[in-house]
Amino acid sequence: MASFVLKRLALMIPTLLGVSIIVFLMLKIVPGDPVNSIVAPDASEAERAVVRTQLGLDKPIVAQYGIWLGRVVQGNLGDSVTRRLPVTELLLPALKNTVILTAASAAAAFVIALVIGVYSAYRPASRIAALFNGLSLASIGLPNFWVALILIGIFSVTLGWLPSSGMSTVGGGGGGDLIKHLILPTAATALSSVGVLTRMVRSTVAGILQQDHIFALQAKGVRRTTILAHVLRNGMPTILNVTGLQFGALLASSVLVETVFSWPGIGQVIYQAIGQRDFPVVQAGVLVIAVAFVLLNLLVDAIHAAMDPRVRHA
Amino acid sequence: MTIHATTARDAASLRPISREPSRVLLIWRAFSRRRSALIALAVLTVIVFSCVLAPWVAPYGPSEGEVTDRLMKIGSAGHLLGTDEQGRDILSRILYGGRLSLLSGVLPVLLSSLIGGALGVIAGYFGGWTNTVIMRSLDIVFSFPAILLAIGISAALGPGITNIIISATVVFIPPVARIAESAAKEVRKEEYIEAARSSGAGAGLIIRSHVFRNIFSKVFVFSTSQIGVCLMVASGLSFLGLGVSPPTPEWGFMLNNLKQLIFVNPMVTIVPGVFIFLTSLSLNLVSDALSDALEIKR
Amino acid sequence: MSELLTIDELMTEFSIQRRSVPAVRGVSLQVRKGKTLVILGESGSGKSVMLRSILNLKPPGARIAGSIKLAGEELLTKSPREMEQIRGNRIAMIFQDALSALDPLYRVGDQIAETIVAHRKVGRAEAKRQVADLLGKVGIPSPEERMRAFPHEMSGGMRQRAVIAMALSCRPDLLLADEPTTALDVTIQAQILRLFKDIQAEYGMSIVLVTHDIGVAAEMADDIAVMYAGKIVEYGRARQILSAPAHPYTVGLIEATPRRGQKGKLPAIPGQPPLITAMPEGCSFASRCPVARESCREGTPSFTRYGEAHEAACYLLEEEQPIAQ
Amino acid sequence: MDNILEVKDIGKTFQVRSLLGRVKGGVSAVDRVSFSLGAQGTLGIVGESGCGKSTLARLLMRLIEPDAGEVNYRGRNVLDLSGASLKEVRRQLQMVFQNPYSSIDPKMSVLNNVAFSLWANGVSRQQARKTAYEYLDAVGLSRTHADRMPGSLSGGQRQRVAIARALVLKPEIVIADEAVSALDKSVQAQVLNLFQDLKKEFALSLIFISHDLHVVEYMSDEVMVMYLGRVVEKGPTERIFNHPAHPYTRALLASAPSLEVDRAAGSGAPALSGDLPSPLNPPSGCRFRTRCPMATERCAMETPELTAVGPGHQAACLLLKESLTA
Amino acid sequence: ACGNGNTAGSDAGASAGGASSGSGKEQKLIIGMSAANIPVPDTYPTEGFEGMRFVGYQLYDALVNWDLSDPDQPAALKPGLAESWETSEADPTLWTFHLRQNATFHDGTPFNADAVIFGLDRIMKTDFEYYDAQIAGNSGSGLRYVDSYEKVDDFTVTVKTKGVYSFLLYDLTGILFGSPDAIKTSGKDYANHPVGTGPFKFVSMKLGQELVMAKNESYWGGAPKLDQVILRPISDSSARLAALQAGEIDWAEVPPTESIPQLKNAGFQIMTNPYPHVWPYVLNVQDGPWKDVKVRQAANYAIDREGMSAALLNGAATPATQPMYSGHEWYSEDGEPYTYDPEKAKQLLAEAGYPNGFSTTFIVPTSGSGNMWPIQMNEYVQKNLKAVGIDVKIESIEWQSLLSSYVQGFPKDKEVGAYNISLPTISPSFYSTFFATSAIFPNGINIGGYSNAELDDLIGKAMAEFDVVKQSEYLKQASAILADDAPWIYVVHDLNLRALSPKVKGFVQPQSWFADLSTVSIQ
Ligand SMILES: Nc1ncnc2c1ncn2[C@@H]1O[C@H](COP(=O)(O)OP(=O)(O)OP(=O)(O)O)[C@@H](O)[C@H]1O
Ligand SMILES: Nc1ncnc2c1ncn2[C@@H]1O[C@H](COP(=O)(O)OP(=O)(O)OP(=O)(O)O)[C@@H](O)[C@H]1O
Ligand SMILES: [Mg+2]
Ligand SMILES: [Mg+2]
C-alpha cells in the first residue's frame, strides 16, 4: 500500500512540473503589467522600471521560472504584489475556507446522491425514481451563480433565516455560526454535483446489481442488508472517483459562488488577483488548486487501491 | 466465380429474417419512447429555431428601446418578457442572444470533440509512448479546474466571445480525449482490428474506418451531455465580464447585467437564467435518452 | 416419494422494452433424490433463467408463474424472508463463471463464511473452521492459507472449487449448477466433474447440472432434460436418451458433435434457434427440423411417453412416426 | 506433399512491466516452436488455455514480432520481409478469430467488413464490393445479409462473415484460432463443414487451433500438442489419438468427456491433478513435470527435446527417451 | 441623544430599541465595502482609494488632512499632523511644517519630527534600513516633486520641492505616518500590527472576512463616537444590498442604483453628493476624426446626460460637461454648455466633414471602482452616439487591464478613438497630468495628445501660485478651455452612492472620496 502511494507520487512529478510550467507561462501571456497595479497611474517609465527590477521582471523568462520554481519547492510562494503580504499568508486561510465550503458541498452532494442513487437503482421503475431522475437532470442544468443569488433573495432577504454573506457573524464565530453561514453557499455549490453524482451512483449501482456475484449472493440466502453492503463496496471506487473529480469541479466553480456569498475563499482571491495582475498570487493560487486536485486524485486512487485488492496487487 | 458448397444451401435455409428497419429509425424509436426526451427535444427545437430566426421572429431589434420604457414587468403589453435596464425588449434580446449563447455552448464542444477525439484515438490506438505523452500532457491541463482554466485563458486572451470559445474548447478537450482514449483502447483489443491489420491495412486506414466508427457514439453521447455544461461555463465567463461586447446580447452577459436588479426586479432577472436552465436541461434530457437509445452506459 | 423437486408448468417472463417476453415457457420436471439431472440445451434456450427461477431470483420486472415444489413445499408463494432461508441452505447454486460469481473485493473465505453465518447460528471462529474444512474437502491445498486469498489470486479451477465449497457449506438437499465447467480447461473440467460425483456420493444430494456439452451430460447424468427455446423437448433417463434419442432436436444435437475417429461430413442442424422475442407459431424447432411437416407449424406438441421414464414433445412421435436417424 | 510453410524455432517472451515501467519478468508464451504445414493440409494445434496457441498464430501473421526463429513461406523468411513484399506475403496468410462478437466490426455493414480487406490492398471500392458479394455467397450468406449491420447476425453467421473476410484476399493458408469454440454445437457443425468445403474449394492449407480434442481430431491431418509455450508432441492425427506418447497428451485424451454413456469420469488414465503453473515462472526442465504422474527428479534438470517415436510422430519427454534407448 | 450613547449601560435606550440589538450599549458600525478583500492596513493601504477611505484615514493621519465636515462644498485641505505650514518668500520651494505637539501613536509613542523623517525615509531613501519598495511604489507619485526634507527641531520639518510647486499640500494628503517603533519591531509583519495616529485603532483582521478597528480615546482631534468600526469586503453589489437588507451590515457602499427607491421606502438612508470625480472618454485627438474639435463637441452634444443620470442610474450621478462639477471652485460657467442636442451634434459633424458619421472603437472597463455600471452606461452612450452617426464598437476589458493598457497610450496597431476611464479630480495636478503638453505620451499620460499653449500657461501659473483664490481662478479658466476644446467626452459625475441603515446617525456625506467616521453614531 505504501509503495503503491509512493509510486503514484513519483508518477505525479512530471504532471506537477507541467502544471507549474503552464501556471508560470499562463500569467506571462496575460496582457497587462503587474507594475501598474503598484505604481500610481501617472508614474513615469523610470519609476516603473525601478519597480520592475524590484520584482525581478526584467530577467529572461527561463530565469524567472527557475527562480520561481526554486522558491516554490522550498515552500516560498513569494509576496503578493498588490497586497504586500507573503502569498502563503494570503492563500492558506483562503484555501482553508474554500476547502471547508467545498468539502461541505462534496459531502452533502455525496450523501444525497448516494441515498437517491441507490434507491433509484433498486427501484428503477418507481415514480419516485423518475422524479429524482428529473430533479437531478434539472439540477445539472442550473447555473449555480444564479441559484446562489436566488437563494440569498429567498432565505436571507425575504425570510431572514440565514445570513447572506461571509462565513461568520461579525465578532461572532463558533461552529453553529459557521454552519449557518455554510448552508446557502453549500446548497448553491452542491446543487449541480448532486445531479451528476446521483446519476452516476444510479448507473453504477444498477450495473452492479446486474453482476453475477450479486445474484450469487442472493442465491446464498444472505440478508438484503448484507447484499447492500456488497453493492456499496463494489460501487464505492467508481463513486469515490467521480466524487473526487466533482470535488475538483466544485473547487473550481467556487469562484462564482464565493463572489456571490463573499465567501473568503481561494476562488475570490485568485479572481481578484487575476484582475490586479498580481502574478505571484495567481501563480501560487492556481498551483495550489492544481496540486490539491492532483493530490485528491491520488487520494481517490489510494482509497480505490485500499478497497480493491485487484488494483492493490496490480 | 461460382461455388455452391453444400453448406451454402444449409445457410440459405436459415430462417428468413425480414428486412429490419434502419439503425437510425431504431434509435429514433427507442429515443421517442421517452416522453420527457420528446418534450425536451421540442423545447430545444423551438429555442434553437427561434434564436436562429431571431431577425424574423423577434418583435424588436436587439438594441431597440427607450430608457424611459425600462424595466417593464413580464407580461407587459408589447413586451412579453418585459424590458431591461435600457428599455430594450427582453424577449428579443433573448432570441438574438441565444445565437451567441448556443454557439458558445455548441462550438467549443464540437471543436473539443474533434480535437480531443483525435488525440484520444491516437493515444488509445498506438499506446506506449504516444499514449504517455498525449495523455500525461492532457492530465496537466485536466489538473486545472475547468472554470479556473477558462478564466485564466479568457483573462490571458482578453474578453470576447471568440476567446470564450477558445478557452471553453481547451477546457473540454481533456475529458473528451479521456473518453475517446479509453474507448479506442477497448476497440484496439477487438479482433476485427487484428483482422484488419493482418489484411495489411495501415494504422491510418484502420483508425479512419474502424476506430472512429466504433468510438463515435460514446464520444457523441458524452459530447452532447457537455453542451449544457459548456453553455454554463460560457455564461459563467460572461457573467464574470469576460464575454461579449455590448450591445451584443448573450444570455450569461444579460444575466450579469441584470444581476444588479435581482432583489429589485427579480422576475426580469430570472428570464435569462431560465433560458440557460431550460436549454441545458433539455440538452441533458436529450443526451440522456440518446445514450440509452444508443445503448451506451455511462 | 423419490422426487425432491417437482417443477410444474414453470413460466418466466421478462419485460423487454415494455413487452412481456417469456424466456421459459412452461417447463415441467422432476429431480430425483440423490440423482443428477442434466439440462442440456443451446445457448439462449433458457437454461440459466430456469435455474434461477427455481430460487425465485429474477431481475426487476420479471415474472415467474407455475409451481415449484421442494419436497412438497411450494416455493413460489414463499415470502422473501422465507426464500432467504431456503437459498444457500436447502438449495444452493453454482454459477457458470466462478470469477464473476465471487465478489472480487472480499476474501474467498469470508464469502463462504457469510453463507454459514446467514443460516447457522455459529460464531466467526467456528465459521472459519468450517470454511477451512470445506475448502479441504473440495481439494484445495493448504485451505487455512487459501481462505485468505482474493478471487483474482486463484486459478480458474481453484475458484470453481471454492464456489462449490460455498454451495456445500450448508449441506443443501439440492445443488443447482449452471455450466460449472464450461469456462475451464478439459483437464480441470475432469477434476471438477469428479468432485461433483464424490460429493454427491458423500452428501447424497440431488444435483441439477446445466450444460451444453453432451459429453458432460453423458458422464454425469442420471436423468436428462433437453431444452429448446424455453421448453423441455425431451426428458428421461440419461442412458435411454443418449442411446435412443426420440426428439429430432436431440438427435441432431448428438450427431452434430464430432466423435472419436469421425471423418466426413458432420450432420449439422441447419439454421439457428429462434429468438425469444420472435417465437414462431407451432413447434419451435419446426423451421430447423429435417422431418418437419406443414402441420408442425401449428399448435404445441405434447409429450409422448416412451417406456418407463422417457418422454418427448414432437408431433411425429404423437403420430408414432419413426424418426429417421 | 510439399510444405508451404516451415516454422523454425520461433519464440516469444512478453515483458511484464511494473507501474513505473521497470521490467518485472517475462512470460515465455511461445518457446522454440517448429513445425511445417503441407500444401492443402490441416495442422491442428491443441492445448490448454494460456499455452501459447494464439500467440503462435499471431507470430505467424507477424501481428506481433517474434524474438527468434524463422517463418518460411514458400522458401522466403517472412520475418525478413517488410513493406510491399511483406504485404504481399501477408495476403497469403489470413486468420479467423475466436470471438464471433468481436471478430467483425459491429459498426460496418457485413459487406464492407469483407470488402475492407480489399480496400486495404488498394482495390477500388466498387470492385471490392463486387468481390465481397461473391465471397459472402461462398460462405452461404445471401445478399440480404450483406447490407445488414452485424448486430442482427447470429454467432454462426458472424463467423461466416469472418471467414469470407479472410478468404477474400485469396490466401493460401488460413489460421483458424478457436474459430468455432464460441459457437453452439449445432452451429459449430455447420461452420466445421464450411471449413471443410472451402478448404477443398479454394485449395487452402489450414492451421486449426482449438482446445476441443474432438474438433481437432475431426479437422486435422496432423496435430501438434502444446503445453506452456512448448510443443510436447506432434504427428499424424491418427497416431496422436490412437497412440499418444506424451503423458500430457494421454491425460488430455483421458480428460475429454466422451459420448460413451457408461464411461465414468476419469475412467481412462488418471485425470491430471493440480493447475497449470504460472507462465511467468515456468517450471525448470520439463514444464509439464509438476503435473506429470510419472515425473522423476531428472525431469526438473533436463529440458526434453522432441524425438521421433514413430513415423512422423515426435514427442518431448525424457521418460520416452529412456524407454526408447532402454 | 447620541451623546449618552457612549456610556455603557444606558438603560433608557434599551427598552426603546430592543430590536436594535443593544445599540445603546455598543457603538458598532459594520461597513460593507465594495472591495473583494479587506485593505492591508499599512501606511498606504491596498484596495485603492477605498482602502484609503476606510483604513488609511481611520488609522492614520497625513501632515495635511481633508476637511470632510461641510457637505455643501468640495472638501478642502485642513491641518493634519502639521498644525501649520508656510513657504518662504525668498525661496518658494522651501516649505516649513510645524507639527502637532499633542499627537501620539496608538502604541503611546509620541508623534514628532523624527517620525516624519522616518516615514519619508521609508519611501524616499532606498538605502534606508526600513525602506519599503512597495509602499514607495504606491506613494511615489505623492513625493515626486519633493527634492529633500529635513528635521529642524522636534516639531518642525522642512521640505524642499524640485521647483515652484504649490500643489504639494494635495500630494501630501496621501502620505500617512505610522509609528516608527512599531515598524521597527514588527518589520515585515507590520501590516498585521499597524499603529498610526488616526481616530481609530487597529484591533484585528481576518483576511477576506473582516477588519476590526476600535475608538482611539486619545485622538488629538477628539475621540470618535463609535466604539468599533468593522469592515467587511463584499464585492458583489447585489450581495452587499442583500447584506444591508438582512441587517448584516449597517453601511453599504454603492448598492445597485436600481435599489434606491426600494431602499428609501424601507427607511434606509441614501447618501449622495457630488465630489471631484468624473466619468469621461479620453479621446485620441492626435489623428482620426477626433482631431477635429467640431467632432469632439458634436459627441459631447450627442449625449443624453440627464437620461443617463436620472433614468439609467436612478439619480446616482449628475451630468458632466467639463472635468469639474458645477459648485466646485474650479468649475467654469463660461465653458461650452453641453446640452443634449443631437441636431446640433449632427450639424457640427457635417461641418467637420462627417455628414454620415464614422465608426470608431472605445475601450471600456467591465467594472472597477468609481465606474458605477460601466457596461450599461457605455451601451447607453453607444446608442446616443449611434443616433448622430458615430458608430462605436465597444471593447470591454477588465479594469486593471484597462489601466495597464491606458498608461501605454493608444494602440498603434488598431484604431481606438477613446478610453473610458473613471478618474478622481481632487488635486489640481490633475490638470497637468492629463492635459499639459509636457505630459503628452510617452512623457506622461496625456495619451490623447491634447496640446493647448494657453492651457499650459494657465497650469504653469496655477502651479506657481500660493494664493488659493488666485490659483482657483487659473484652474477655472483652464476648465473653460477644456470644456470648449473638449479633449474628452464628459459624461457624468458619480455621486458617491451609499446606503446606510436607519440606525446610523450623524454621518455627513462630504464632497469627497473620503468619509469622516468620527461624527457617526449608532442609535
Ligand atoms: N434479465 C434478462 N432480461 C431479459 N432477457 C433475458 C434476461 N436474462 C436472460 N434473458 C434472455 O432469456 C433467454 C434465455 O437465457 P438463458 O441465460 O437462460 O440462456 P442459457 O440457456 O442459459 O444460455 P447459455 O448457454 O448461453 O448460458 C435468452 O434469450 C436471454 O437473452
Ligand atoms: N500481450 C501480452 N503481454 C503479456 N503476456 C501475454 C500477452 N499475450 C499473451 N500473453 C501470455 O502468453 C501466454 C500465452 O497466451 P495465448 O493467448 O497465446 O494462449 P492461448 O493458448 O491462446 O490460450 P487460450 O486458449 O486461453 O486462448 C499466456 O500466459 C498469456 O497470459
Ligand atoms: Mg446460461
Ligand atoms: Mg487463444
Side-chain angles (χ1 to χ4, degrees), chain C:
Chain C
M1 191 175 64
S2 70
E3 275 85 39
L4 175 68
L5 185 77
T6 311
I7 299 176
D8 209 30
E9 283 302 313
L10 178 69
M11 180 89 134
T12 306
E13 290 175 333
F14 293 113
S15 141
I16 299 177
Q17 299 181 349
R18 302 208 176 151
R19 220 150 45 93
S20 176
V21 178
V24 174
R25 308 186 298 151
V27 163
S28 304
L29 281 178
Q30 292 86 44
V31 182
R32 292 187 290 156
K33 271 201 181 114
K35 300 285 183 191
T36 301
L37 167 70
V38 168
I39 298 176
L40 195 59
E42 283 179 86
S43 182
S45 56
K47 307 182 297 291
S48 300
V49 172
M50 192 198 81
L51 217 58
R52 290 176 189 204
S53 299
I54 296 176
L55 283 179
N56 204 352
L57 294 176
K58 56 181 182 189
R63 203 173 64 83
I64 303 178
S67 154
I68 301 170
K69 288 204 172 84
L70 178 70
E73 259 179 87
E74 177 60 52
L75 297 185
L76 285 184
T77 54
K78 287 207 183 298
S79 72
R81 250 295 138 76
E82 290 168 328
M83 271 320 284
E84 270 174 21
Q85 288 308 313
I86 290 173
R87 293 180 190 147
N89 190 11
R90 292 175 62 194
I91 306 179
M93 182 152 177
I94 296 170
F95 287 84
Q96 180 156 1
D97 178 359
L99 181 58
S100 59
L102 288 168
D103 189 326
L105 306 186
Y106 289 74
R107 292 178 198 281
V108 169
D110 293 346
Q111 297 192 50
I112 301 174
E114 219 169 33
T115 320
I116 301 175
V117 172
H119 299 293
R120 301 274 181 271
K121 287 199 168 58
V122 296
R124 284 188 59 83
E126 169 61 15
K128 277 229 163 104
R129 202 190 51 75
Q130 289 188 14
V131 170
D133 274 1
L134 283 164
L135 288 178
K137 191 159 278 165
V138 295
I140 292 184
S142 52
E144 300 281 350
E145 206 176 292
R146 278 287 151 186
M147 56 193 272
R148 278 195 301 280
F150 287 98
H152 73 275
E153 296 169 320
M154 293 182 140
S155 68
M158 199 102 87
R159 280 196 289 261
Q160 195 57 274
R161 285 172 196 272
V163 170
I164 293 171
M166 186 146 70
L168 293 179
S169 57
C170 291
R171 282 182 165 262
D173 305 327
L174 177 63
L175 187 61
L176 308 177
D178 189 358
E179 311 208 22
T181 59
T182 306
L184 303 176
D185 280 318
V186 273
T187 57
I188 311 290
Q189 167 169 303
Q191 295 169 7
I192 297 290
L193 292 181
R194 169 170 286 185
L195 176 63
F196 269 106
K197 294 211 155 174
D198 293 346
I199 56 178
Q200 188 172 37
E202 186 182 340
Y203 289 66
M205 61 182 52
S206 307
I207 296 178
V208 178
L209 187 104
V210 165
T211 181
H212 59 242
D213 187 336
I214 296 179
V216 171
E219 298 228 338
M220 299 296 294
D222 296 306
D223 299 328
I224 289 181
V226 181
M227 204 164 170
Y228 187 79
K231 286 193 162 180
I232 303 292
V233 293
E234 185 160 5
Y235 171 67
R237 298 284 178 263
R239 182 189 294 259
Q240 258 176 308
I241 289 186
L242 291 174
S243 54
H247 195 281
Y249 174 67
T250 319
V251 173
L253 205 55
I254 292 173
E255 291 194 340
T257 314
R259 287 158 187 268
R260 284 295 300 272
Q262 184 169 5
K263 289 284 149 185
K265 224 166 165 54
L266 284 172
I269 307 176
Q272 58 229 294
L275 296 171
I276 57 168
T277 44
M279 269 309 156
E281 281 287 297
C283 172
S284 46
F285 186 59
S287 64
R288 302 174 76 189
C289 183
V291 294
R293 311 169 173 178
E294 263 321 299
S295 59
C296 289
R297 302 187 187 264
E298 287 156 25
T300 312
S302 57
F303 276 99
T304 305
R305 189 166 268 277
Y306 279 81
E308 164 212 7
H310 182 189
E311 47 190 23
C314 176
Y315 283 125
L316 298 162
L317 297 172
E318 282 174 22
E319 295 164 22
E320 289 181 71
Q321 294 280 337
I323 293 170
Q325 293 230 357

Side-chain angles (χ1 to χ4, degrees), chain B residues 192 209-210 213-214, chain D residues 103-109 113 150 165:
Chain B
Y192 56 83
S209 40
H210 288 305
R213 245 174 241 267
N214 281 284
Chain D
S103 66
I104 52 176
D105 187 339
K107 296 284 158 69
M108 247 188 194
S109 73
N113 257 296
R165 179 186 52 200

Side-chain angles (χ1 to χ4, degrees), chain A residues 38 82-84 164 275 277, chain E residues 38 44 47 138 248 400-401:
Chain A
I38 297 177
T82 53
R83 296 191 58 82
R84 302 187 302 248
S164 69
R277 303 292 175 271
Chain E
I38 55 171
Y44 196 97
E47 309 303 326
N138 288 138
E248 292 160 37
Q400 292 292 333
S401 320

Side-chain angles (χ1 to χ4, degrees), chain E residues 19-38:
Chain E
S20 53
S21 66
S23 60
K25 274 177 274 162
E26 208 180 16
Q27 291 286 311
K28 186 163 88 177
L29 177 72
I30 306 176
I31 297 175
M33 299 194 302
S34 67
N37 206 335
I38 55 171

Side-chain angles (χ1 to χ4, degrees), chain B residues 16-26 29, chain C residues 275, chain D residues 110 144-153 157:
Chain B
I17 298 173
S18 59
R19 207 174 154 70
E20 83 278 7
S22 74
R23 191 171 142 76
V24 177
L25 193 65
L26 281 175
R29 272 192 201 155
Chain C
L275 296 171
Chain D
V110 164
T144 52
H145 290 109
D147 297 326
R148 291 181 18 192
M149 297 307 268
S152 60
L153 298 189
Q157 288 170 330

